[in-house]
Amino acid sequence: MVREFEFKGEIFRATWHGIAGHEEVFILHIDKNDEEGEEASIDRMTEENDTSAPLEDILVMLCERIMPEIEGHDPAVPFSWREGKTVFNVHNGLQAVGH
């Protein structure tokens, strides 16, 4: 799945695959000019983590890793999915374009 979300007033693109709690998860910061910036990832299949944690918690953890590199973010803005920003949704090996 590829989907955009916001955290601390910044936009990120998340990409993940696998079963819940055992995903491979990547995030990419999208700057104010729609350019790709800092990135972070975790392989929940092999790296130590809380496999019962919801995906959103893992995304926030990854964001916190790269936040020191991002200037001007707003610590008061919580995590939220961007509506209509599912880029790709893959099931059973078939790719469907999201809306």
Side-chain angles (χ1 to χ4, degrees), residues 50-64:
D50 178 1
T51 57
S52 66
L55 178 65
E56 290 84 354
D57 291 354
I58 299 301
L59 295 174
V60 165
M61 177 204 58
L62 292 173
C63 286
E64 293 294 355

Side-chain angles (χ1 to χ4, degrees), residues 28-83:
L28 180 65
H29 178 244
I30 308 297
D31 72 15
K32 306 295 184 222
N33 298 317
D34 285 333
E35 294 184 20
E36 297 177 351
E38 300 295 324
E39 59 184 59
S41 65
I42 184 171
D43 182 342
R44 295 183 77 190
M45 294 174 264
T46 60
E47 293 180 50
E48 194 171 314
N49 71 94
D50 178 1
T51 57
S52 66
L55 178 65
E56 290 84 354
D57 291 354
I58 299 301
L59 295 174
V60 165
M61 177 204 58
L62 292 173
C63 286
E64 293 294 355
R65 287 185 186 173
I66 62 176
M67 273 300 164
E69 306 297 322
I70 302 171
E71 294 182 18
H73 59 274
D74 183 350
V77 179
F79 177 96
S80 66
W81 290 110
R82 295 188 80 198
E83 292 303 317

Side-chain angles (χ1 to χ4, degrees), residues 15-19 22-26 41-45:
T15 305
W16 69 95
H17 63 91
I19 60 172
H22 300 281
E23 309 95 341
E24 195 167 16
V25 182
F26 302 88
S41 65
I42 184 171
D43 182 342
R44 295 183 77 190
M45 294 174 264

